Amino acid sequence: MAAPIAYSLIATDLDGTLLRGDDTLSDRTLEALARVAVAGAQHLVVTGRPAPRVRPLLDVLGSRGLAVCGQGAQLYDAGADRLLWSVTLDRELAETALGKIEAEVGQVYAAVDQDGVDGLTLIEPGYLMPHPTLPAVRVMHRDDLWCEPISKVLLRHPSLSDDELAATARSVVGSLATVTMSGPGTVELQPCGITKATGLALAAEHLGLGPRDTVAFGDMPNDIPMFDWAARGVAMANAHPELKAIADEITLSNEDDGIAVVLERLFAGRLVDFAP
């Protein structure tokens, strides 16, 4: 009789976790995920990137299933190219939250991810994309950011660290939005109460799975709710100290195939007959 599957759901962040610094996937990581699929487990991307920015990577992975996008605000069906579920951030609340933050720290630079499978990333003057490979449209004025429904706001400060900006934002935003740090260079405002865990839980329910079936991989504080929800949380060697502090395990970095190392161990007994 075959050994039972260690975990039925493999939930992975993208940036700093599954992806290398150049936004590519290593052959070893792809092979490990393919072998896990043969063993009967499912891989679920859980990322802060909005659905349109995730679609090309899902094509590389050969995924036609679900993905949790926008820090949990979107549940995307890759096979149907549609959102099964999405929550938008009220644009008036977002403007109010920005005003409160700037009253404390001075000018910040903002960007937004629009809702929808074809939503754009809009950036105001002064905002620098933390991932230069991701497409963005520069607008002339901040008011132009609010022209369509949005899933989140991205913030950068010219001198404060991500930790400092996030801490101040949390202290003044209150219930207007949820503040996350998915950096480096990325502090975000998303709908109140929405986290990666809410999106992961919804996706798992669709798949007939739950927390005890799930191992999660991440690198930043925005992955903390996901680790709290899953049975096991694995932080990358390059992870933020806050995530490492609550992780069940710390693996190698994203550049050193940290996810593949863990999956090869967890599914070792199920992989011997796989021929790539």
Side-chain angles (χ1 to χ4, degrees):
M1 178 180 295
I5 299 175
Y7 294 98
S8 300
L9 186 60
I10 314 302
T12 68
D13 174 47
L14 286 179
D15 297 296
T17 303
L18 188 69
L19 298 177
R20 295 181 290 194
D22 60 359
D23 276 5
T24 62
L25 292 145
S26 74
D27 290 340
R28 183 179 180 183
T29 294
L30 287 170
E31 182 175 318
L33 290 173
R35 290 183 173 189
V36 164
V38 169
Q42 299 191 60
H43 173 224
L44 180 71
V45 167
V46 185
T47 177
R49 295 192 185 195
R53 306 291 87 81
V54 177
R55 191 161 40 201
L57 291 167
L58 296 178
D59 289 341
V60 173
L61 289 165
S63 175
R64 308 306 297 163
L66 302 180
V68 177
C69 306
Q71 302 291 12
Q74 299 174 330
L75 182 58
Y76 176 61
D77 182 337
D81 190 27
R82 68 186 182 97
L83 293 176
L84 299 182
W85 180 79
S86 68
V87 179
T88 57
L89 175 60
D90 184 279
R91 285 166 280 177
E92 290 187 7
L93 293 183
E95 284 191 276
T96 300
L98 274 176
K100 287 179 173 290
I101 294 168
E102 290 188 320
E104 294 293 323
V105 302
Q107 183 178 13
V108 299
Y109 299 111
V112 301
D113 285 333
Q114 294 179 332
D115 189 40
V117 294
D118 295 314
L120 301 174
T121 297
L122 304 181
I123 58 178
E124 72 174 352
Y127 186 89
L128 298 177
M129 288 291 289
H131 298 285
T133 61
L134 296 180
V137 176
R138 189 170 298 279
V139 298
M140 295 299 295
H141 307 285
R142 178 171 292 180
D143 288 347
D144 298 328
L145 297 178
W146 322 120
C147 62
E148 298 287 344
I150 61 173
S151 60
K152 64 179 179 180
V153 179
L154 302 89
L155 305 176
R156 303 195 76 168
H157 192 276
S159 60
L160 293 179
S161 69
D162 297 331
D163 290 281
E164 291 169 329
L165 179 58
T168 299
R170 290 190 187 101
S171 70
V172 299
V173 165
S175 62
L176 294 174
T178 295
V179 179
T180 62
M181 181 170 55
S182 59
T186 310
V187 174
E188 301 180 357
L189 307 178
Q190 59 201 70
C192 188
I194 296 297
T195 68
K196 283 191 174 185
T198 58
L200 174 55
L202 183 62
E205 182 180 359
H206 272 263
L207 298 170
L209 301 171
R212 67 181 180 179
D213 304 304
T214 306
V215 57
F217 295 83
D219 73 310
M220 291 299 291
N222 63 322
D223 295 313
I224 290 174
M226 181 167 68
F227 277 29
D228 288 341
W229 185 87
R232 187 169 187 81
V234 181
M236 313 306 290
N238 50 287
H240 190 282
E242 287 183 24
L243 189 68
K244 286 183 175 179
I246 68 155
D248 298 299
E249 178 182 350
I250 299 173
T251 186
L252 300 181
S253 74
N254 61 318
E255 300 290 349
D256 296 319
D257 298 313
I259 287 181
V261 168
V262 175
L263 294 181
E264 289 163 0
R265 185 189 78 236
L266 289 178
F267 291 84
R270 303 282 303 197
L271 306 183
V272 293
D273 297 327
F274 176 78

